[in-house]
Amino acid sequence: MLDTPEAVVEALRENNDRAHGRQRTVTAEELVEAAEPFEEPDVLVTALLELMSAYEFTGEHRKSPVVFARLLKLWDATPAAFSEWEAHQVFWRFKWVTTSLLQVPEVPLATVHGWIDQMRIRYDGADHGLQPVAAMRYHVASHTGEGVADAYDLWATRPRTELSDCQACETRHFARHQVLAGDDAGALDTWRPVLADGMGCTEEPQMSQARALLPLLRTGRFDEARSHHLTGYRRVRGNTGMQDEVGLHMEFCALSRNEGRGLEILAENRSLFEATGAPLAHLDFLIGAEVLLGRLVAEGHDSTAVAGPPGRNWTTGELLTHVRSGADRLTNAFDKRNGTTAVGQRRQLRLAQRPLLDEPLPLGLRTSLPRPSAATGSTAAATPAAEPDTPQDYVSLVREARRLAAGGYPGADRLWADIAERLTDGTTIHDDRLGPQDLLHAELAEQRAYLLSREDRHPESISELKRAAALFDQLGMPWHGLSARSRVLAWATAFGGDAENEASAEEVDTDSVRAGIDEALREAERLKTDAPLSGGALGVGEAASEEDPVAARVLEYLTVLYSCTFAAFREVLRQLPEPSDSAVARFEEFARTLHAEAERLTIPHHIANARQFVADIAGRRGDVERAVAELRAALKDVDASGRPWRGSRPRALLAQFLMASNEPAEAVELLHQAIADAVRYDDRDFAMAPTYALLGHATSHLGDAGSAVRHLSEAAARFDQDGDHDEAASTRLQLADVLAGAGQQADAVAVLESVLSDEEASSLDQRLVAQTRLTLARGLRELEEFLPAAEEFLRLADTIAGWEGEQGLQTMVAAETAVTLALADRWDAADAAYERAVASHAEAPRPSLVMQMMCEFARLVMLARGADGLDTALDHLARADAVQAAVPDSTEGFVPWCETGAVHYRRARVLAEAEAFPKALAEAEAAITAYEQGGEDGEVPRAEAVRIAALVEGNGLGRFKDAIARLATAAERARKADLPEAARILDALRQDYQGRQEG
C-alpha cells in the first residue's frame, strides 16, 4: 500500500534501482499520483524528479517539460520542500527542458528562446554562472544553422560552472562542432579523454562512440572504429533514449560495407519505429535506417525481407519508402518550425554518402547475412591481377583458355565459363580449327568437375571427370584419359573422409583405390613404351600447346603420378597418428617417383608438389625439421618453374610448421606473401580463411594484438562465407581471447554474443557452444555485468547437464554460477547453486574450485552484511577446510600450500572486517607460513598476506612499531625476489605508519 509518505519513498528507492525502461517510467507515473495527496510536498518533489529522469532517459521529451513546470511551481511556492540535492536539480534540469523543447517540432522557436531567457534570469538571480545558458543558445543555433559561430564563441570562451554539463558530455558537444566544420582529426583529438582515457558519465562514452564512428573511418583509424562499434552498440541497443545513436551505428554499418550487420541492428531495434517521444532523435534513427536501406536498394536488394515496424512483413524497398516518408515529414516539420533548411541539408549530406571502404571492415561478428563477396582481403599486400582478356573471337577464346589451362594459370575458369555459356545459348557453333567437338566437350567436363568440387558436390564432380575420361579415350588421347581416371581415384580418397571422421573414412575402399592406382601406373608404363616421353620437355614458364603434343603428354603423365601420390598421401592421413608401415612406404615410393620423373623431365612445379607432400606428412608425424627443409626447397622449385602463383600453398604450410617451432616472425612474413600472391594471381582455390586464421594466431604470438584482431576477424568472415560455421565460431573464440588479453573485454563480449545470437548457433558443435558460453559468462562477469553473466552460466549448466563423463565440468560450472549469482545479489539462487557445486564435487571432485567458491562466498557475505555476516562467512571457510582435509595426498593439480594459505588469508580478512583483530592477525601469520612453503611461487601471495598482517597490527591493534618492522623485512625480501611492485606497496604502507608515529 502506498498510503504513507514512507511507503512511497521506499517505492521510489526501489524504482530507482531499476534499469530505465517502460516499467520504471510507468511506476514513476504511479508514484507521482500516490504522492499528490500528502499534505507536505517533499515526497511529491522527489517523485516528480524521478518521473522527469524516467522521461529523460527513455526519450519521452514531449512529457518532460510538463513535469518540470510542476516542479518549478513547487520550488517557487515551497523551496523548503527541496533538499540541497533537489534544489541543485531544479537549476540543472533547466537544460533538460531546453533540449526537450528543441526535440519537438510543434514547439515554436520563440518558446524555446523564452525558456532560455527564463533560465538566464533564474541563474542570474541565484548567482550561478551563465556558461550553461550560453551552451543552450549554442545548441539552438547548431540545430537551426543560424548564428552558430557567434553562439559557439560565447559558450566555448566562458568558464565552466557547477551547473555546466559534465566534462564528458561537453567534450562530445565540442567534438561534434568540429565534425560539422569538417575537422575530423581535430574532433578525434578533442574526443580523446572520452574515447581513450576513460572519462564518462551515464550517457558517455556510448554517445560519443556512435558519433565518432564515421570520423574514425574517414581518417583511416579502422581498429578504433571497429572497437567503438562493438562496445558502443552494446550500450545503446534497444534504448529508446538513444535512438539517434542506434541510427548512427546502422549508418556506420552501411558505410563500412557491413550491411548484413546493419540489418541485424535494425531487427534488434524495430521497437524504436514506435518510439516517437523525441521526434528529433527519432528522425536521426530514421536517417540511419534510410542510409542503410538506400545502400541495399542501390545494390539490387530491394526485395530482400527485412525487419520493420511490427505488424507486417517488409521488403527493403517497401521499408525504405516507409522510412523515407516518415523522415520527410519530420524534416519538413523541423525546417518549417526553424525557418531554415539546416535539418534537411544535414539529412541530404548523410544520404549522399557512399561507402568509405572498398572492402567490408572486418568486425569479427557473426551475422545472419553474408558479406558481399570480395576479391581481396583486408590485409592483402597486392592488388588482384587484371582478369584475363576475354577474346571476342570464339576460336581465339578457346585457344586462350587452353593455353591458360595448360600453364596452370589461375583464373582460366572464367574463360571456360564464357565458352560454356556461348555453346549453351546457341550463339556459337563449333569450328573445326579447334579439333574435334568432343575434345571441347571433354575439356568442359573437366572444368565442370573442378567447379563442382569447389562447391562440395563431390559425386557430381567425379561423374563429370569420368565423362571427360571416356571422351578422351574415344578421341584416341590415352594420356588425357588416363590422367582423368587417375584423378577420379585421387578425388575419391579426398572426398571420402579422414581419420577424424571414422564414419566417412569407412567409405574409402583402400584396396580398390590401390588396385586402381597400380593399374594406372601399369598403363602409364605401356604408354611410355609405345611413345617415349622425351624431347618434349617444357622450358621454364612455358605451357603445353596444341602444336606440342609431346609436352602435353609429359604434363598428363606427371598428373598421373601426382594423382597416385595424392591417393597414397590421403591413405596415410586417414591412418594418422599411427599409419601402417606399408602405407608410409607406398606414399614415399610414389613421392620419390614423382620427384625423380619431374626432375628428369624438367618440370619444377611438380618437383615442388612432391616435396610439399613429403613435408606435410613429415610435419604431421612430428619431424618438423624435415618438413621445413622440404618446403624451403619446394619454394625454390616454384621460383624456378616460372609459376609464382604456386607458391602460396607451400608458404602457408611452411608458416604452420614454423609456428610449431616458435618462429612466428617468419611465419607472418610468409603468410602475408601467400595471401598477396593468391590475390595477385586471382587464385580462388587458395584457402584464404584458414590462412588468415593462422596469420592472426602468428601476429598474436608477436604481441601485435591489433593485427591479430584484423586477421582473425577476416578469417571468421571468410569461414562464414564458406559455410564452415564451426571454424568461424572457433576463430571468434580465439579473437575474443586476443581482445580480452589486450584489455578490450567489452569488444570480446560483443564478439562472443554474436556467436550465440541467432538460430544458427543451434547447428554448431555443442562443445564449441559450451566453450563460447563459458568464455562469454566470464567476460560479462569481468565487465561487472553480473546478472547477464549468471544467466549465461545457468544456460551453460543446462547445456552440459546430460553430458556423460563430464561431472567435473559440471562442478566447475556450478561453482562459478554460484559466485556470479552472489555478485548479482541473487542470494537464494546463489545458495542453491553453491549446494549443487558441493554435491557435484562429492561425485566429481574439483577441490580447488570448490574451495575458491567458499572463500569468495565468505568475502561477499561480509561485503553484503558486514559484521552481521561473520558467522556465515566463517562457516563457509570451515567448509573449505573440510574440503581440503578430504583431498588425498598428491592429487593432481591440487597445491596444498596455496589452498591452505588462501583460506587463512580470507579468514584473516573476514575477522579483521569484524574487528576481531587478534584472531585476524593469527590467521594472517598462518597464511604467511603456508605461502612460505611454496618457495618462489609463494612469494607474491606471501607479500600480500604480510600486508594484511601489518594492517591488522597497525590499524587494528595500534602496534605500529611491530608493523613497521614486519613491513621493512617483507619489502626487502620482495626486492630480493625481483618483485618491485610488491616492495613498493609494502614500503608505502611502512612510510605511512612511520609518518603517523612521528605525527
Side-chain angles (χ1 to χ4, degrees):
M1 294 292 291
L2 299 174
D3 52 1
T4 67
E6 292 76 15
V8 174
V9 169
E10 180 60 29
L12 284 166
R13 186 177 293 111
E14 290 178 3
N15 199 42
N16 189 60
D17 291 337
R18 292 191 177 100
H20 283 290
R22 182 64 182 161
Q23 181 183 0
R24 178 168 174 172
T25 301
V26 170
T27 303
E29 291 172 337
E30 294 170 349
L31 292 174
V32 167
E33 292 181 11
E36 285 175 335
F38 301 140
E39 183 176 346
E40 296 297 326
D42 53 342
V43 177
L44 179 59
V45 167
T46 305
L48 288 169
L49 285 167
E50 164 63 20
L51 179 58
M52 191 176 180
S53 293
Y55 286 153
E56 176 72 15
F57 292 107
T58 54
E60 292 287 352
H61 291 280
R62 293 180 183 274
K63 300 177 180 180
S64 185
V66 177
V67 178
F68 189 71
R70 293 184 64 184
L71 274 169
L72 208 54
K73 287 182 180 179
L74 288 169
W75 170 252
D76 289 337
T78 56
F82 290 71
S83 69
E84 182 178 351
W85 179 84
E86 290 167 339
H88 178 81
Q89 289 298 303
V90 170
F91 289 96
W92 182 269
R93 297 189 186 194
F94 265 99
K95 298 180 295 181
W96 289 11
V97 175
T98 302
T99 53
S100 291
L101 294 173
L102 204 60
Q103 281 271 348
V104 183
E106 294 85 357
V107 176
L109 271 187
T111 301
V112 180
H113 286 301
W115 189 262
I116 296 175
D117 290 340
Q118 184 179 167
M119 176 182 174
R120 181 189 181 284
I121 293 169
R122 295 270 186 170
Y123 273 45
D124 200 31
D127 292 328
H128 290 305
L130 297 182
Q131 192 257 16
V133 178
M136 294 301 104
R137 295 199 190 282
Y138 166 75
H139 293 324
V140 174
S142 178
H143 171 65
T144 63
E146 290 192 330
V148 178
D150 290 342
Y152 179 79
D153 288 341
L154 287 171
W155 166 45
T157 57
R158 289 177 181 267
R160 286 176 49 80
T161 77
E162 64 175 1
L163 289 170
S164 296
D165 283 346
C166 80
Q167 284 193 307
C169 288
E170 197 163 80
T171 295
R172 176 180 76 248
H173 297 312
F174 283 133
R176 179 178 179 273
H177 179 82
Q178 291 173 283
V179 171
L180 293 176
D183 184 8
D184 286 338
L188 292 171
D189 190 54
T190 298
W191 254 318
R192 184 183 302 277
V194 176
L195 297 179
D197 298 340
M199 181 188 290
C201 66
T202 304
E203 298 176 328
E204 290 293 350
Q206 58 266 36
M207 294 181 78
S208 288
Q209 286 177 311
R211 285 159 178 75
L213 290 173
L214 295 186
L216 287 166
L217 280 186
R218 288 193 290 260
T219 55
R221 293 163 64 170
F222 303 138
D223 291 346
E224 293 169 78
R226 176 196 303 110
S227 177
H228 289 307
H229 170 64
L230 295 179
T231 59
Y233 175 66
R234 289 189 72 246
R235 294 185 174 104
V236 303
R237 64 184 172 197
N239 188 336
T240 56
M242 292 194 171
Q243 293 186 69
D244 34 3
E245 284 75 21
V246 173
L248 290 169
H249 281 280
M250 285 191 287
E251 184 176 351
F252 163 79
C253 289
L255 300 181
S256 65
R257 296 190 181 273
N258 283 282
E259 292 88 347
R261 166 68 168 169
L263 288 180
E264 291 187 345
I265 292 175
L266 190 67
E268 287 180 330
N269 295 276
R270 64 188 308 191
S271 62
L272 297 186
F273 282 107
E274 299 175 331
T276 58
L280 186 58
H282 189 62
L283 173 60
D284 282 332
F285 167 74
L286 291 178
I287 295 172
E290 195 177 2
V291 173
L292 171 66
L293 297 167
R295 289 301 313 152
L296 287 164
V297 168
E299 293 172 3
H301 302 294
D302 55 310
S303 61
T304 299
V306 295
R312 58 160 287 187
N313 296 325
W314 298 88
T315 65
T316 305
E318 292 168 343
L319 184 58
L320 177 59
T321 299
H322 176 80
V323 166
R324 185 166 287 158
S325 174
D328 284 343
R329 178 180 55 78
L330 285 172
T331 300
N332 293 335
F334 279 111
D335 280 346
K336 181 179 179 181
R337 188 272 300 272
N338 299 337
T340 68
T341 59
V343 173
Q345 288 175 347
R346 280 195 291 269
R347 178 185 171 207
Q348 289 308 313
L349 286 173
R350 290 175 68 179
L351 294 177
Q353 297 173 106
R354 292 295 176 264
L356 297 168
L357 304 175
D358 294 331
E359 303 295 334
L361 175 67
L363 299 177
L365 300 172
R366 182 185 190 190
T367 62
S368 57
L369 293 176
R371 305 186 312 171
S373 60
T376 66
S378 62
T379 63
T383 55
E387 294 186 4
D389 291 335
T390 303
Q392 295 305 306
D393 175 68
Y394 180 66
V395 172
S396 299
L397 173 64
V398 174
R399 285 175 172 168
E400 179 64 5
R402 286 172 173 170
R403 184 186 73 82
L404 293 177
Y409 290 94
D413 55 338
R414 282 193 294 275
L415 301 187
W416 288 113
D418 193 11
I419 294 167
E421 185 177 349
R422 293 192 193 188
L423 289 173
T424 301
D425 64 18
T427 59
T428 300
I429 60 174
H430 184 68
D431 191 305
D432 290 340
R433 288 176 293 173
L434 299 173
Q437 189 169 3
D438 279 350
L439 173 59
L440 188 57
H441 288 160
E443 291 167 324
L444 288 170
E446 281 187 305
Q447 180 62 21
R448 283 194 298 273
Y450 283 117
L451 294 177
L452 288 166
S453 70
R454 288 182 197 165
E455 299 172 5
D456 294 333
R457 296 164 63 181
H458 304 311
E460 297 167 81
S461 174
I462 288 177
S463 177
E464 287 292 335
L465 206 50
K466 288 180 177 178
R467 180 169 178 264
L471 287 169
F472 283 131
D473 287 340
Q474 291 171 18
L475 290 164
M477 300 175 69
W479 276 114
H480 289 73
L482 176 60
S483 172
R485 289 195 300 279
S486 68
R487 275 175 280 159
V488 167
L489 293 166
W491 287 15
T493 65
F495 306 148
D498 55 38
E500 294 180 1
N501 189 335
E502 294 180 5
S504 63
E506 292 174 359
E507 298 171 9
V508 180
D509 186 339
T510 301
D511 292 339
S512 294
V513 169
R514 281 193 174 197
I517 290 295
D518 291 342
E519 176 55 34
L521 287 174
R522 286 192 291 271
E523 184 176 347
E525 289 301 317
R526 288 195 297 272
L527 291 173
K528 285 167 61 180
T529 301
D530 294 342
L533 298 175
S534 60
L538 299 176
V540 172
E542 293 181 358
S545 69
E546 297 170 86
E547 291 74 29
D548 189 0
V550 176
R553 290 198 296 270
V554 165
L555 287 179
E556 297 303 329
Y557 167 58
L558 290 174
T559 299
V560 171
L561 295 183
Y562 177 92
S563 297
C564 295
T565 308
F566 181 82
F569 168 78
R570 291 294 305 182
E571 182 178 346
V572 174
L573 284 190
R574 286 195 300 275
Q575 295 180 16
L576 287 175
E578 296 294 337
S580 66
D581 291 342
S582 65
V584 172
R586 183 178 174 84
F587 162 72
E588 290 181 346
E589 179 185 355
F590 281 133
R592 281 193 301 270
T593 301
L594 174 60
H595 185 141
E597 288 295 271
E599 197 169 57
R600 178 177 70 83
L601 295 166
T602 323
I603 309 295
H605 73 270
H606 269 303
I607 302 174
N609 288 336
R611 291 188 188 279
Q612 189 173 334
F613 280 130
V614 170
D616 199 338
I617 293 297
R620 290 172 187 262
R621 299 187 71 193
D623 191 351
V624 175
E625 184 177 351
R626 183 186 181 191
V628 168
E630 289 285 355
L631 288 167
R632 292 195 192 283
L635 288 171
K636 291 180 181 178
D637 293 325
V638 169
D639 290 341
S641 74
R643 300 184 179 199
W645 52 85
R646 290 185 171 272
S648 291
R649 288 165 181 77
R651 282 192 178 90
L653 189 58
L654 175 57
Q656 185 176 336
F657 291 133
L658 288 172
M659 285 298 298
S661 302
N662 196 28
E663 298 181 54
E666 186 181 356
V668 166
E669 183 180 344
L670 287 163
L671 291 166
H672 274 300
Q673 187 173 351
I675 291 171
D677 284 349
V679 171
R680 179 179 293 114
Y681 300 112
D682 197 20
D683 185 354
R684 300 190 179 190
D685 287 336
F686 181 65
M688 282 287 199
T691 304
Y692 271 108
L694 183 58
L695 181 55
H697 182 60
T699 49
S700 71
H701 275 258
L702 289 176
D704 186 356
S707 294
V709 168
R710 288 191 293 275
H711 303 320
L712 291 169
S713 297
E714 182 69 27
R718 288 177 178 272
F719 278 126
D720 283 338
Q721 286 179 304
D722 295 343
D724 196 341
H725 299 304
D726 280 345
E727 282 297 331
S730 179
T731 301
R732 289 189 171 99
L733 264 175
Q734 186 178 353
L735 171 59
D737 184 57
V738 171
L739 287 166
Q744 297 174 256
Q745 186 64 259
D747 299 49
V749 162
V751 169
L752 295 167
E753 286 177 335
S754 78
V755 175
L756 303 171
S757 63
D758 57 46
E759 293 181 359
E760 288 185 22
S762 62
S763 66
L764 295 175
D765 177 84
Q766 286 305 292
R767 290 189 177 275
L768 186 57
V769 171
Q771 183 60 56
T772 303
R773 205 173 290 287
L774 174 62
T775 309
L776 173 58
R778 288 170 172 171
L780 289 166
R781 187 172 61 198
E782 183 74 17
L783 293 176
E784 298 186 0
E785 297 182 29
F786 298 126
L787 190 55
E791 290 169 352
E792 290 297 336
F793 274 121
L794 290 168
R795 292 187 187 102
L796 176 59
D798 289 341
T799 299
I800 66 173
W803 289 5
E804 294 292 334
E806 295 290 357
Q807 287 80 6
L809 177 61
Q810 292 161 10
T811 303
M812 179 198 75
V813 172
E816 293 207 44
T817 303
V819 170
T820 309
L821 284 165
L823 287 166
D825 201 28
R826 298 294 195 270
W827 282 98
D828 288 344
D831 289 339
Y834 180 105
E835 295 304 332
R836 282 198 303 274
V838 172
S840 182
H841 168 71
E843 298 295 325
R846 296 291 296 271
S848 294
L849 280 170
V850 172
M851 290 177 67
Q852 289 169 19
M853 174 191 73
M854 292 168 171
C855 288
E856 186 65 359
F857 261 65
R859 181 184 76 84
L860 293 173
V861 164
M862 295 300 293
L863 187 65
R865 296 168 54 190
D868 292 341
L870 177 61
D871 289 343
T872 302
L874 291 176
D875 180 60
H876 286 304
L877 294 171
R879 296 182 75 172
D881 287 334
V883 169
Q884 178 164 358
V887 177
D889 292 341
S890 302
T891 296
E892 184 179 358
F894 187 81
V895 184
W897 64 263
C898 183
E899 305 300 344
T900 300
V903 176
H904 283 304
Y905 170 82
R906 181 52 54 194
R907 189 177 284 114
R909 297 204 62 165
V910 163
L911 290 166
E913 289 169 31
E915 299 186 359
F917 297 121
K919 292 181 180 179
L921 181 59
E923 288 295 325
E925 289 176 335
I928 293 169
T929 300
Y931 288 136
E932 284 175 346
Q933 297 173 22
E936 291 184 4
D937 293 338
E939 288 297 328
V940 171
R942 182 190 183 282
E944 169 61 11
V946 169
R947 186 183 72 87
I948 293 300
L951 285 170
V952 171
E953 239 171 357
N955 294 341
L957 298 173
R959 290 156 41 182
F960 290 105
K961 183 178 179 180
D962 293 342
I964 289 169
R966 182 192 297 274
L967 289 165
T969 302
E972 182 60 27
R973 177 170 177 154
R975 276 187 284 272
K976 290 180 179 179
D978 195 23
L979 299 172
E981 181 62 16
R984 185 193 64 77
I985 292 170
L986 295 169
D987 280 334
L989 182 56
R990 176 180 56 78
Q991 290 165 7
D992 175 56
Y993 280 175
Q994 286 175 333
R996 288 161 66 177
Q997 261 196 325
E998 293 167 1

